[in-house]
Amino acid sequence: MPNLILYQRDYCHLCDLALAVMAEAQAPEFDSVWVDDAPVLEARYGTRVPVLRDARDGRELDWPFDAAAVQAFLIR
């Protein structure tokens, strides 16, 4: 199971951009989690998506981020 989670919404242009940034950063495998149908996740991430979370330590990287920010996030 990947340690990274990308929280997203359906039909989210920014989420599509975040996926492109993750590819550019050559991020390791990650899970995509959609917040639309989960009330707890909707409350926490609904206005913040896309959000990249490290499940090991709980760190989060809020949008906007670029490839350099993702790479820096991954080496911490």
Side-chain angles (χ1 to χ4, degrees), residues 4-76:
L4 296 175
I5 302 166
L6 182 64
Y7 290 100
Q8 306 178 59
R9 297 186 80 105
D10 288 329
Y11 311 108
C12 170
H13 174 68
L14 297 178
C15 299
D16 294 339
L17 293 175
L19 290 170
V21 168
M22 297 287 288
E24 180 183 348
Q26 299 180 342
E29 186 177 341
F30 59 93
D31 284 332
S32 290
V33 174
W34 283 263
V35 304
D36 298 301
D37 296 324
V40 172
L41 295 177
E42 172 83 32
R44 182 169 181 175
Y45 296 107
T47 60
R48 295 173 49 205
V49 294
V51 175
L52 181 61
R53 178 179 171 81
D54 187 326
R56 295 171 296 185
D57 59 15
R59 290 179 305 117
E60 295 181 340
L61 181 63
D62 285 23
W63 187 261
F65 49 79
D66 59 13
V70 171
Q71 290 171 341
F73 180 79
L74 295 174
I75 61 171
R76 288 190 202 153

